[in-house]
Amino acid sequence: MEKKLWKDHCVLLNKDEENELEIFGYKTQGWRRAFCTAGYILSCGALLLLFYWKPEWDVWANCIRCSLEEADVVLLRTTDEFQRYTRKKVTWIDLSTLALPVGSNSDGHLVADKDSVINRAVMKPQLKIRCIQVQKIRYIWDFSVKEFKKVGSLEDSNTCHSIHHKFGAGLTREEQKIRQLVCGPNAIEVEIRPIWKLLFKEILNPFYVFQAFTLTLWLSQGYIEYSVAIIILSIISVGLTVYDLRQQSTKLHDLVEEHNKVQVTVCTKSEGCKELESCYLVPGDMFLLDGKKLSLPCDAILIDGTCIVNEGMLTGESVPVTKTPLPLVESLMPWKTHSMEDYRRHVLFCGTEVIQTKATGKGPARAIVLQTGFNTAKGDLVRSILYPKPVNFKLYRDAFKFIVGLSVIGVFGLIYTVCVFVSHGKPVADVVTMALLLLTAAVPPAIPAALTTGTVYAQRRLKKKKIFCISPQRINICGQINLVCFDKTGTLTEDGLDLWGIIPSEGSRFQKIHKFPSSTPLPWGPVCGAMASCHSLVVLDKKIQGDPLDLKMFEGTHWEIEDCSTAQDGAGALNICVVRPGLKASSAPVEGIAILHQFPFSSGLQRMSVVSQKIGEEQYDLYMKGAPEIVSSFCRQDTVPVNFLKELKTYTSQGFRVIALAHKVLNLGKDVDVNSLEREEAESELVFLGLLVMENRLKQETKPVLRELAAARIRSVMVTGDNLQTAVTVARNAGMIHTGSKVILIEAKEPEGSAPASIAWRLAEDCKANTAAPRVCANTEEKITLEGETYNYHFAMNGKSYQVIIKYFYNLLPKILVNATVFARMSPGQKSSLVEEFQKLDYYVGMCGDGANDCGALKMAHAGISLSEQEASVASPFTSQIPNIQCVPELIREGRAALVASFAVVKYLTLYGLIQFVGTALLFWQLQIFGNHQYLIQDVIITLLVCLTMSLTEAYPKLAPYRPPGQLISPPLLLSIILNVCFTIAMQTCGFLLVKQQPWYRARTKCWVLPYRHCSPGNQTVPPTSPGENATSSGPQSTVLSYEDTTLWPLSSINCIIVAFVFSKGKPFRKPIYTNYVFSVLLALQLAICLFLFFADIDAVYSGMQFLCTPVIWRVYVLLMLLVTFCVSLFTEDIILQNKHLWLLIKALFGYQSNSQYRKWQRMLQSDPSWPPLNAKDIGAKSTDEIYINPTYENSDEE
C-alpha cells in the first residue's frame, strides 16, 4: 500500500530528457496554514524569508503528502547533482465556457484526433483540465496514465498517413478554440523583468541579509563611516548585477518579440482560408506558404510543395536548405521513425526564414503546425537561456563553507566575550553588543562584493579582446579547463572549401589534372556540364546562394545562373533553372542547360543528381555527384579507372575533400514528366567522369594555438560533421596528432539479424580505403609503447560507432575517451553527449564551435565559445568576434588569472577578518576596544581599497603547464591561511604582553586624563596626570585609550598591508604585482599613512586617533616585529606553499594520486599490456541491457 501511495505521489516529468524533473504531490491543510501564518508574524517575517530560500520547507510545513491526482500544490526537484526544488500551484482550465459540439459531454471525443492527450485529460462532466506550468511549458493531467503530459505539440505517435489524413484539410473552428485554450497562445514571450523584482531577488540573497544584520549592529554602535562605505559598495555591486540582468532580459525580449506577430493564412474545415495572427495558431492547424518571404512563427511539417529555408538562426550557417514534403505512405511506423534521421528535412523550424516556396500542381505549398510557443526549436533555445544549467563550481560552494567556518570562529569569540564581560559584572546590554561585535568581526561582509568585482574586471579585459560573456560566473571555471573540443569546419579550418583541381577520366584511365585557379578555362565536355548543372544553387535577391561546395564548383566553370523564379506560368512556378556560359567560360557548342529535376542530397545517401536538357536539344542528361565510393558503385565498372582507390587515397590522406562525378544519357520519350522519374531507375549504369578535388585550408592561427595548448598540457579533441579520413588528416596537419603517433580507427557495428554488435580496431595508416576488400591490415604484430602520459596512439571514430559504443560497449567508453582525439560525422546530439561523457571523467571541458549544430555542446560544456555572429550564439556563455581559435588560450589565461585573483581576495578577506578578530579579542581581555577612527582606517583605507584593486592584475601571457588549484579548501590554501593566522596571533600576543613589561608602562586606571600632549621626541616616560573632567570610566575614550591599544593597532593594520602584498603573487598565472600600478601605489600610500600616524608626534593626530604617546624606541621595536612577520610570511607563501616541485615531492612521498576519473583510467591502462587492442574484433551483447565484457578488459579492471 505504502509503495503504491509513493508511486502515485512521485513521478518523473520529461523522462530521459535534458530537463528531467521529479514531481511530488501535496495538499494544503488549513490548520497548518494558520500555524505558519502565525509563525510569519511572530518571527517578523524571518520564517517567510527562510521559506523563500527553501521552497521545499514551505511545502512540507503548509501541506501534507498525497497522490498527484488530488494535489493542489506540486513540488519539483531536479534530478541532477544539485537537486534544486521549486513549488508550483495546480490550476484548472475550464472548457465549459466554450460552445462545444454536441456529444462532447458524453463519451464523444473533444478533439477529432482521438490519440490526443487533450481527450484523456478532460474531467467529465465538468469539462475541466488540471494543469501546471513549468519553465514556460504547460503540462496537463492525463487521467489514463496518471501523470502530467506536455501540451503544445502534435503526438509523436502519428504516422505519415494519419498526419495527411487527420490534419491535411485543417481543423474545425471549435477544435481550434479548444486547442487555443488548452495549449495557450503560440508566442515566445519573454517579459522584461521589472527592476524592483530583480532588486528584491538580489537583496534577499542569504549573504546580503547577514550583511544587513551586521551593518545594523555597527550603525547602532555609532560606527557610521565604514558602514556607509560598505552600504555604498553593496549598492554598486547589486546595481551592477541588476543592470546586467535587466540588459539581458531586454535583449532577449527584443530578440523574440518580432516573431510573435506574423500574419499567416490558416485553413479550417468549414470556413476555408483566412488571415490570422500567428499567436492564434494551434498544433494541427494547416496553413499556406504562398511564396512570400516569411519568418516561421512555429515548428511545422511540410505536406505539400517544396521550400527553401535559411536556418541560420538555428545552425549559425546561412546556407539555404531545401525542405521536401512528408511522403504520403501507408506505414504503421510513427512519422519520425519512418523518415529516420532525415525527418528534419520535412520540418520547418520556428524562427527560420522561408526564402522561396515552389508549389505543386495542386496549389500553394501547405504545412501543418507541429509545435507552438516554447515547445518549438526557437522556444527551446530561449528557454535554455532563461533557465541555464546551474554551474557546479567549487569556488562558490567553498566560499560559502569558508564563511560558515569563520562564523564558527565568531561563535567562539561570542562565548569568550560573554565570559569575560559577565565575570567583570557588566550590564547585559553591553555584553550582548560586544559579543555580537566580535561575532561579526570574524566574517568580513565584503566577500560577495569583492568576488563580483574580480569577475567584472575579468569581463572587461575579455571585452577588450573582443570576447563577450553572458554568464560571468563561468569566467572562473575557464581557469580549470584541461580539455577543449573543437569543431573542424570554420573553426580549425577556413569556412568554405577551395576548388583545387579536377582529374578527368576517359576510357577508364585518369587524365592530366586541371588545376584551379588556372589561366585557361575548363574546356567544354561532360565534366564541365556536370559542374555547371549538378548542384542545388538558387538565385535570391540577384545573388547565387546554396551549399558552399556547390558554389565553389559552379564558380570554377565561369558559367552563370538565370534567376529561376522568373520562369513562371499560370500553374505556378515551373521547377526549372537555366545555366549559361559566362564571358570567361570556354566556348561551348550549347546555348545553355536547363535543370529540370533534382534528386536532392541527403547525408544518408551521400549523393545527389539532376536531370537536365541542353537548350534546343531533345536528349535528357543525368548528372550525379557525391562520395567517390558511392558514385563509383553506380557506374559501369568498365568506365571506372583501375587505380581509382589508390588515386582517391592519395588525395584524402593529404586532407583534400574528394567528390566524384558521373553522367548518363537518359532515353526518354518526347512528352515525358521528368518529375515522375524513379530515382533507383534513373541512377544506374552511369559513366564515371572523374574526381573533383577541393581543399579545406587550416586557418593560420590554428597550429600555433594548438601547440600552445599542448605545451600547457591541455588536451585538444576534434568533433566534426565531416568525413573521418579528412578529419584525421586535418588533425595531423594541425598538430593534434603528432608525427610518429599511431591512429587507431574504431569501427563499431549495430547487431544485424543473429550477429551481435561488434567493435573492430585497426591502424589507420596501413588500411586501404577499400570498403569492398577484406579488412586485414599489413602489420598484425604491431605493439605501441607508451611514454609516460604522452601516449603515442590516438583513437578516431565516427558518430555511428560512437552511438553503438554508448549502447552496447559502454564499459569501454572511458578507456577509449582517455585517448580519443578525432570524432567525425557527429550529429549535434552526439556532440552534446560526448561533452557530457568527458565531464563524467572529471575533465573540465571547453567547446569551441561556430554553428548552432554545436549549440547543445556549447551549453553543455563548462565553457562554450561560439565563433558566430549569429543569434545562435546567445545559447553560448562566450562569443568571440574574432573568428578563429585564438580566443581559447586567451579565455583560459583570463580564467586562470580571475580564479587566482578570487582565491587571493577570499584569502585576504579571511585574514583581515581574523587579524581584526585577534586584536579585538586581546583588547576585550581588559574590556577595551579599537577606536572608531582606528577601525575606519583598517576597514576603508586599507581593506576596501585592497579588495577593489587587487584583482586588477592582468593575466600572465604564457600558459603554465599546470592549472591553479580548483578548490579553496585545498592544503596549500588552508595552510597559507592557518600559518598566517598563527603568525598574527604570535605577533599580536607578543606586542600585547611585551608592552606591559616596559618600564614606562602604566595600567589603565579609572582616573586617567588623556595624555596625548607633550610627546617630545626625547621623552621616555609619560608624566602622571591628575584626574580631569573628561576621564569618566563610562566615556568612550576610556574603553579605547591604553598602551596595548596603541601597540596593537599598527601591528594589525600594517599586517593587513603585508598579507595583501604576500597574497598578490604574480607568476605563473598573473603578471607581477608591480604591473598593477594602482594596487602597488595604494599599498605604498597605505603603508606611508600608517607609519605617519604612528610616528608623527602631532597632538591633533594623537587625539583624533586616540593613541597614547610611546617612546620612539618602542615604536621601532613594533616595526621590527612587523618586518620579521613580513619576511616569515613571504618566505612561507612563496618558497614553501607556492612551490610546485615541493608539493609534487610531498605527494610522491605520501603516495598521493589524483582522484580524477580520467587519471585513474590512465594509470590503469598504462599497466594493461592488452591495451590498446589492435586488429582485434570484439562482440557485444545481443540485448541493450547486458554488456558483454571481453576477458582481457576484466583483468585490467581488477588491476
Side-chain angles (χ1 to χ4, degrees):
M1 183 66 197
E2 179 68 25
K3 207 171 182 182
K4 182 177 181 319
L5 184 77
W6 179 254
K7 196 170 138 269
D8 293 342
H9 164 66
C10 163
V11 176
L12 275 180
L13 201 63
N14 305 329
K15 198 171 179 195
D16 298 331
E17 286 179 44
E18 201 181 330
N19 52 347
E20 184 181 75
L21 296 160
E22 283 176 294
I23 175 168
F24 304 92
Y26 286 92
K27 204 162 96 213
T28 318
Q29 268 197 324
W31 63 269
R32 283 174 173 250
R33 193 78 184 267
F35 264 118
C36 288
T37 312
Y40 302 152
I41 297 162
L42 292 173
S43 65
C44 303
L47 185 64
L48 200 58
L49 189 64
L50 189 66
F51 284 170
Y52 169 76
W53 290 334
K54 291 275 189 190
E56 63 272 32
W57 293 3
D58 179 12
V59 174
W60 295 335
N62 280 293
C63 315
I64 52 162
R65 218 169 80 178
C66 69
S67 71
L68 280 166
E69 199 164 349
E70 302 164 347
D72 57 3
V73 170
V74 293
L75 192 60
L76 300 155
R77 181 171 71 188
T78 58
T79 52
D80 54 19
E81 64 217 279
F82 302 98
Q83 301 227 323
R84 288 162 309 145
Y85 283 94
T86 33
R87 171 185 184 276
K88 292 280 172 196
K89 279 189 93 117
V90 178
T91 53
W92 291 87
I93 301 171
D94 189 2
L95 297 181
S96 58
T97 52
L98 296 176
L100 292 176
V102 189
S104 51
N105 281 8
S106 53
D107 291 342
H109 294 301
L110 262 187
V111 293
D113 175 12
K114 57 177 186 295
D115 303 325
S116 172
V117 67
I118 299 175
N119 288 324
R120 303 194 299 270
V122 176
M123 196 166 151
K124 307 266 176 82
Q126 300 95 322
L127 293 183
K128 282 185 171 181
I129 293 180
R130 301 173 71 224
C131 78
I132 53 172
Q133 186 116 353
V134 182
Q135 294 191 350
K136 305 275 183 197
I137 291 213
R138 191 177 279 185
Y139 298 84
I140 58 177
W141 180 255
D142 182 339
F143 283 97
S144 61
V145 289
K146 302 259 187 286
E147 57 185 72
F148 281 102
K149 284 280 170 62
K150 218 183 263 189
V151 283
S153 54
L154 284 188
E155 270 60 29
D156 278 341
S157 57
N158 280 311
T159 63
C160 296
H161 179 263
S162 67
I163 285 180
H164 278 273
H165 181 70
K166 285 181 192 168
F167 307 109
L171 301 170
T172 60
R173 193 81 202 89
E174 291 82 10
E175 191 167 330
Q176 271 183 334
K177 280 188 176 158
I178 294 170
R179 285 182 182 256
Q180 270 166 15
L181 201 57
V182 177
C183 303
N186 169 38
I188 298 172
E189 281 167 351
V190 178
E191 59 157 352
I192 298 181
R193 287 160 78 185
I195 289 176
W196 66 268
K197 258 191 188 173
L198 292 168
L199 207 69
F200 253 101
K201 197 173 174 191
E202 198 58 30
I203 291 170
L204 293 179
N205 179 331
F207 206 91
Y208 284 120
V209 173
F210 173 75
Q211 204 165 318
F213 165 71
T214 311
L215 292 172
T216 316
L217 182 72
W218 288 350
L219 286 167
S220 71
Q221 285 301 296
Y223 186 28
I224 292 163
E225 298 90 337
Y226 178 55
S227 303
V228 170
I230 284 287
I231 288 170
I232 291 169
L233 186 72
S234 298
I235 288 172
I236 292 170
S237 161
V238 169
L240 278 172
T241 313
V242 168
Y243 173 74
D244 220 32
L245 289 169
R246 173 81 176 189
Q247 286 292 88
Q248 271 187 47
S249 180
T250 315
K251 189 177 160 194
L252 197 56
H253 175 268
D254 297 345
L255 199 95
V256 297
E257 194 46 40
E258 63 206 62
H259 292 165
N260 289 341
K261 294 188 172 64
V262 183
Q263 290 295 325
V264 281
T265 310
V266 179
C267 300
T268 50
K269 269 186 181 150
S270 48
E271 301 167 18
C273 301
K274 62 173 183 190
E275 287 243 324
L276 257 190
E277 203 170 88
S278 61
C279 59
Y280 297 115
L281 286 176
V282 292
D285 261 335
M286 192 268 284
F287 65 98
L288 304 180
L289 297 156
D290 41 15
K292 291 198 293 261
K293 273 199 173 183
L294 169 74
S295 193
L296 280 160
C298 59
D299 285 359
I301 308 173
L302 191 62
I303 56 163
D304 207 4
T306 55
C307 288
I308 294 171
V309 185
N310 176 359
E311 293 191 342
M313 176 261 153
L314 282 184
T315 61
E317 299 166 54
S318 300
V319 176
V321 184
T322 305
K323 298 286 183 180
T324 55
L326 185 75
L328 176 55
V329 284
E330 292 278 353
S331 160
L332 293 173
M333 282 193 290
W335 69 277
K336 279 187 182 174
T337 327
H338 178 267
S339 309
M340 308 238 290
E341 61 208 56
D342 278 340
Y343 80 86
R344 299 173 71 90
R345 67 175 177 196
H346 309 306
V347 180
L348 305 167
F349 292 102
C350 176
T352 61
E353 202 173 354
V354 177
I355 314 171
Q356 211 180 49
T357 54
K358 290 178 182 168
T360 52
K362 300 175 205 161
R366 299 178 300 149
I368 284 164
V369 178
L370 174 65
Q371 302 187 115
T372 56
F374 278 96
N375 291 295
T376 60
K378 179 163 184 174
D380 228 19
L381 192 67
V382 174
R383 277 180 45 238
S384 68
I385 301 163
L386 287 173
Y387 308 101
K389 255 185 86 171
V391 182
N392 180 16
F393 193 48
K394 299 194 181 96
L395 174 69
Y396 299 102
R397 290 201 316 243
D398 286 357
F400 187 72
K401 286 180 190 166
F402 242 75
I403 289 164
V404 171
L406 291 173
S407 311
V408 170
I409 294 173
V411 170
F412 281 122
L414 182 131
I415 296 164
Y416 158 82
T417 313
V418 171
C419 297
V420 171
F421 277 72
V422 167
S423 66
H424 283 82
K426 287 284 167 189
V428 176
D430 282 10
V431 176
V432 171
T433 24
M434 288 305 171
L436 287 176
L437 258 174
L438 196 57
L439 167 72
T440 56
V443 187
I447 284 185
L451 283 175
T452 312
T453 48
T455 342
V456 169
Y457 293 148
Q459 202 173 349
R460 270 188 22 212
R461 288 198 293 268
L462 284 172
K463 208 168 186 173
K464 280 184 191 155
K465 291 170 181 167
K466 293 270 192 292
I467 299 170
F468 298 92
C469 168
I470 60 167
S471 164
Q473 70 268 36
R474 284 191 190 244
I475 296 177
N476 281 332
I477 304 182
C478 295
Q480 284 294 299
I481 284 176
N482 55 357
L483 181 146
V484 187
C485 297
F486 292 101
D487 179 37
K488 181 181 80 73
T489 317
T491 305
L492 298 173
T493 60
E494 294 293 350
D495 239 337
L497 293 155
D498 288 319
L499 195 54
W500 182 82
I502 182 149
I503 314 156
S505 158
E506 261 177 56
S508 78
R509 300 263 288 279
F510 281 117
Q511 307 298 310
K512 185 169 167 285
I513 188 164
H514 179 93
K515 282 273 193 77
F516 291 95
S518 81
S519 49
T520 55
L522 183 71
W524 165 253
V527 172
C528 184
M531 287 171 67
S533 60
C534 192
H535 52 71
S536 55
L537 299 173
V538 288
V539 177
L540 301 168
D541 305 329
K542 303 202 168 49
K543 200 168 150 232
I544 304 176
Q545 292 195 340
D547 188 296
L549 184 146
D550 284 359
L551 203 55
K552 278 281 192 276
M553 175 185 80
F554 182 70
E555 283 169 1
T557 62
H558 297 296
W559 280 46
E560 288 162 358
I561 298 190
E562 283 189 2
D563 197 331
C564 319
S565 54
T566 53
Q568 291 190 352
D569 64 2
L574 274 174
N575 226 337
I576 291 181
C577 195
V578 179
V579 290
R580 300 181 191 276
L583 298 171
K584 291 184 185 170
S586 58
S587 58
V590 291
E591 195 189 319
I593 297 176
I595 303 164
L596 305 174
H597 183 66
Q598 266 186 42
F599 295 116
F601 175 84
S602 95
S603 49
L605 301 173
Q606 293 187 337
R607 66 181 193 273
M608 79 160 289
S609 41
V610 295
V611 178
S612 67
Q613 190 177 29
K614 297 186 188 77
I615 290 175
E617 292 187 20
E618 285 193 2
Q619 84 166 30
Y620 292 95
D621 296 285
L622 179 126
Y623 290 108
M624 178 194 279
K625 77 169 195 303
E629 301 93 337
I630 305 286
V631 172
S632 65
S633 66
F634 285 94
C635 293
R636 297 207 310 270
Q637 285 312 300
D638 58 325
T639 65
V640 180
V642 189
N643 59 345
F644 165 74
L645 286 166
K646 184 165 176 257
E647 194 79 0
L648 176 62
K649 186 158 193 295
T650 313
Y651 291 104
T652 52
S653 60
Q654 291 174 56
F656 288 114
R657 178 93 175 263
V658 184
I659 307 279
L661 302 171
H663 166 244
K664 168 188 183 180
V665 174
L666 290 172
N667 300 318
L668 303 170
K670 254 194 168 169
D671 301 318
V672 70
D673 179 11
V674 194
N675 294 326
S676 62
L677 273 179
E678 284 293 324
R679 187 166 190 165
E680 286 70 31
E681 199 182 313
E683 296 181 332
S684 61
E685 296 290 305
L686 282 84
V687 174
F688 186 77
L689 293 180
L691 298 174
L692 194 68
V693 183
M694 313 196 80
E695 77 179 316
N696 193 193
R697 297 194 186 108
L698 278 180
K699 289 184 180 173
Q700 61 191 50
E701 301 81 8
T702 299
K703 260 183 158 168
V705 166
L706 291 176
R707 209 175 298 131
E708 183 181 2
L709 292 177
R713 308 205 31 200
I714 294 167
R715 249 183 88 182
S716 302
V717 170
M718 185 193 292
V719 190
T720 173
D722 208 341
N723 160 299
L724 183 60
Q725 190 68 52
T726 312
V728 170
T729 312
V730 171
R732 277 196 182 286
N733 294 346
M736 267 187 189
I737 298 172
H738 300 293
T739 41
S741 295
K742 298 275 189 285
V743 175
I744 299 170
L745 299 181
I746 300 178
E747 223 172 294
K749 286 192 166 176
E750 287 259 2
E752 283 174 33
S754 58
S758 66
I759 184 168
W761 323 73
R762 58 194 181 93
L763 265 183
E765 286 79 0
D766 303 85
C767 284
K768 298 284 169 280
N770 187 352
T771 44
R775 297 216 241 116
V776 182
C777 294
N779 45 356
T780 35
E781 286 304 307
E782 180 79 49
K783 189 68 200 127
I784 289 168
T785 54
L786 302 172
E787 314 160 54
E789 275 169 15
T790 52
Y791 301 132
N792 65 344
Y793 67 92
H794 298 260
F795 291 127
M797 69 177 88
N798 62 19
K800 271 193 183 134
S801 299
Y802 174 75
Q803 206 58 49
V804 175
I805 290 170
I806 279 211
K807 203 169 170 190
Y808 300 97
F809 299 95
Y810 193 72
N811 59 320
L812 290 182
L813 192 65
K815 298 183 175 189
I816 293 169
L817 290 186
V818 167
N819 289 311
T821 304
V822 177
F823 295 86
R825 293 267 184 251
M826 296 285 276
S827 69
Q830 288 168 341
K831 287 184 181 184
S832 319
S833 148
L834 178 70
V835 167
E836 199 175 0
E837 291 301 334
F838 273 130
Q839 287 171 335
K840 284 181 190 168
L841 289 177
D842 297 336
Y843 279 108
Y844 276 85
V845 184
M847 168 81 200
C848 183
D850 67 332
N853 45 7
D854 307 322
C855 248
L858 289 169
K859 284 185 304 197
M860 182 67 72
H862 289 106
I865 315 159
S866 155
L867 305 182
S868 156
E869 289 283 313
Q870 287 277 357
E871 226 176 82
S873 58
V874 212
S876 149
F878 300 95
T879 309
S880 166
Q881 281 195 333
I882 300 166
N884 62 49
I885 62 168
Q886 269 173 324
C887 56
V888 175
E890 210 58 82
L891 187 60
I892 293 174
R893 271 194 285 272
E894 284 302 342
R896 288 178 171 188
L899 185 59
V900 171
S902 301
F903 283 179
V905 166
V906 172
K907 271 166 66 173
Y908 170 73
L909 282 172
T910 308
L911 258 150
Y912 140 77
L914 291 173
I915 288 169
Q916 236 182 38
F917 179 81
V918 171
T920 310
L922 285 170
L923 286 177
F924 273 10
W925 185 249
Q926 47 191 40
L927 307 186
Q928 276 192 306
I929 188 170
F930 285 123
N932 268 6
H933 290 139
Q934 296 174 358
Y935 270 133
L936 191 68
I937 285 183
Q938 279 184 6
D939 293 344
V940 179
I941 292 183
I942 299 177
T943 298
L944 206 55
L945 295 177
V946 163
C947 285
L948 289 177
T949 56
M950 200 178 201
S951 309
L952 282 172
T953 315
E954 294 190 354
Y956 195 67
K958 185 175 182 290
L959 277 175
Y962 50 89
R963 300 176 294 163
Q967 297 167 278
L968 262 175
I969 301 178
S970 64
L973 279 154
L974 283 179
L975 265 175
S976 166
I977 288 171
I978 292 166
L979 290 174
N980 275 293
V981 170
C982 293
F983 302 153
T984 289
I985 293 174
M987 177 180 69
Q988 293 199 35
T989 314
C990 274
F992 184 76
L993 296 176
L994 283 176
V995 73
K996 292 181 187 292
Q997 310 304 317
Q998 301 310 310
W1000 41 262
Y1001 171 79
R1002 283 185 56 196
R1004 196 173 64 105
T1005 58
K1006 272 194 175 179
C1007 52
W1008 258 37
V1009 177
L1010 315 178
Y1012 305 128
R1013 294 160 189 73
H1014 324 300
C1015 191
S1016 57
N1019 200 5
Q1020 289 303 315
T1021 59
V1022 178
T1025 43
S1026 54
E1029 64 276 19
N1030 55 351
T1032 51
S1033 63
S1034 62
Q1037 264 81 12
S1038 61
T1039 59
V1040 177
L1041 276 179
S1042 71
Y1043 288 118
E1044 288 87 347
D1045 170 83
T1046 307
T1047 304
L1048 284 179
W1049 183 81
L1051 284 178
S1052 55
S1053 301
I1054 297 176
N1055 197 355
C1056 286
I1057 299 172
I1058 289 171
V1059 290
F1061 178 83
V1062 169
F1063 289 162
S1064 296
K1065 185 168 161 49
K1067 280 171 65 173
F1069 304 116
R1070 294 196 290 171
K1071 286 183 179 172
I1073 184 172
Y1074 56 78
T1075 59
N1076 182 350
Y1077 307 118
V1078 184
F1079 183 61
S1080 313
V1081 169
L1082 268 176
L1083 283 188
L1085 276 174
Q1086 290 164 352
L1087 186 63
I1089 289 171
C1090 290
L1091 292 177
F1092 167 76
L1093 293 175
F1094 190 43
F1095 277 91
D1097 290 328
I1098 302 169
D1099 288 345
V1101 171
Y1102 272 56
S1103 60
M1105 289 299 296
Q1106 297 171 285
F1107 284 162
L1108 285 179
C1109 180
T1110 54
V1112 174
I1113 187 75
W1114 175 246
R1115 296 183 235 181
V1116 174
Y1117 285 153
V1118 168
L1119 268 192
L1120 280 173
M1121 279 193 243
L1122 284 163
L1123 195 66
V1124 170
T1125 308
F1126 172 68
C1127 295
V1128 172
S1129 182
L1130 192 65
F1131 176 81
T1132 314
E1133 189 72 19
D1134 261 20
I1135 312 298
I1136 300 173
L1137 296 176
Q1138 298 285 341
N1139 186 335
K1140 188 81 183 157
H1141 301 294
L1142 181 70
W1143 281 104
L1144 287 174
L1145 205 77
I1146 293 170
K1147 281 179 180 178
L1149 271 175
F1150 287 98
Y1152 171 82
Q1153 288 182 320
S1154 165
N1155 279 330
S1156 300
Q1157 287 298 323
Y1158 71 94
R1159 288 275 186 224
K1160 288 180 181 170
W1161 282 106
Q1162 281 172 344
R1163 291 196 292 270
M1164 201 189 316
L1165 296 179
Q1166 258 177 315
S1167 55
D1168 181 358
S1170 64
W1171 191 267
L1174 264 186
N1175 310 319
K1177 193 171 178 181
D1178 301 323
I1179 307 299
K1182 276 186 186 163
S1183 80
T1184 330
D1185 308 328
E1186 305 167 48
I1187 291 174
Y1188 168 81
I1189 300 174
N1190 188 321
T1192 53
Y1193 303 129
E1194 265 188 320
N1195 301 344
S1196 72
D1197 284 351
E1198 283 160 21
E1199 282 172 33

